[in-house]
Amino acid sequence: IVSSLALALLFGCVPDHRDFNMPDAAVYFTDNAENKGVQEAVMYDVQSEVEVPVYVYCGGLVEGSATVTAEVAEEYIDYYNEAKYTELHALPQDCYTLVNTSAELSDRSAAFSLKFDVAKIVEYSKQEGVDIADCVVSLGLVSEDIQIASVKDNSLGYYLIRPDLREATARVSATEMTPDGKMTVSVSLPFDNVFDFTYDIEFGMT
């Protein structure tokens, strides 16, 4: 009885991903469209580009060794729209770049990178009839060495991400009064600043 209990506890702690129907090694996007929906890439209208990492994991009882490839898979958008009752559209391919298309699994993991051209996205968002919130990039996993994970016939090997385009605004983050009566005002931006800029501050008297 003790041996059976110990064995059950052992296998109960192993992340074998059987909930994904994966006793064998299989790869999937960590933030896959099936379970995680559409991801968002936050970007501000004054930035030039935004790079987003895309992660892949190899599940299963046995660790697999393989080369995996990510490629644009716009045909999946139609399937997703029908399954989820959405009306998503493909973001034009000149608005982004898939930086590295192939990667080797290492410790069950691999990573790709998407680089968004913010200026082109801003320009595209101004076109008549375009709602940038409905535009997505769709990626699909491909490998000749290992299977792509699936659950209930819906692949976990697809990834969707939309640009979350925001207007850049500066805010006062701190103020400090010096002993000589001067005030130091610190201003912050919601992203890593690469600009030199001047600004005016209005003081209200209460």
Side-chain angles (χ1 to χ4, degrees), residues 89-129:
H89 309 281
L91 184 71
Q93 292 190 24
D94 64 345
C95 291
Y96 63 90
T97 303
L98 186 56
V99 178
N100 55 318
T101 56
S102 295
E104 294 283 339
L105 287 174
S106 177
D107 294 329
R108 291 184 177 264
S109 300
F112 302 99
S113 181
L114 267 174
K115 186 177 293 185
F116 290 92
D117 187 323
V118 181
K120 288 186 178 179
I121 291 174
V122 170
E123 182 180 358
Y124 179 66
S125 70
K126 295 177 180 178
Q127 293 185 18
E128 184 178 355

Side-chain angles (χ1 to χ4, degrees), residues 33-44:
E34 176 61 29
N35 289 335
K36 296 297 184 69
V38 181
Q39 303 300 299
E40 294 186 344
V42 176
M43 58 191 68
Y44 293 88

Side-chain angles (χ1 to χ4, degrees), residues 14-31:
V14 175
D16 63 5
H17 298 276
R18 288 185 176 177
D19 53 328
F20 285 173
N21 192 27
M22 289 163 50
D24 300 321
V27 291
Y28 57 92
F29 286 112
T30 304
D31 294 322

